[in-house]
Amino acid sequence: MKPLIVALFDRTRAVLQAELHRTCRGKLKHLNDDDRQALGRMVEAAVNKLLHQPVTRLKQLAGAPGS
């Protein structure tokens, strides 16, 4: 179960970081390093919040008999 969860977090984080990077090179290229770092922290917080419930449910299902 742990490799699945790690892969889920890694993939989600990679997709969001790639989008952030692309956007920071385009429409948000005016941002300074502090602002970009703040957006990076926001992405990390969003990953954690988005995946918390699904990961919790996966863990519950993994421990449930007959699942």
Side-chain angles (χ1 to χ4, degrees):
M1 179 63 62
K2 187 172 180 173
L4 172 66
I5 292 170
V6 169
L8 185 59
F9 271 88
D10 288 348
R11 176 68 179 142
T12 303
R13 187 178 294 112
V15 168
L16 292 175
Q17 287 289 353
E19 286 301 311
L20 176 61
H21 182 70
R22 184 179 63 79
T23 302
C24 283
R25 284 189 326 224
K27 290 185 178 185
L28 298 180
K29 63 184 170 190
H30 64 281
L31 294 180
N32 62 38
D33 285 340
D34 287 342
D35 292 335
R36 289 171 192 245
Q37 287 176 4
L39 286 172
R41 289 188 300 273
M42 183 202 67
V43 165
E44 188 61 31
V47 168
N48 291 332
K49 288 177 182 177
L50 286 168
L51 295 181
H52 176 75
Q53 186 177 5
V55 166
T56 299
R57 185 67 179 134
L58 277 173
K59 290 177 180 179
Q60 289 172 344
L61 291 172
S67 316

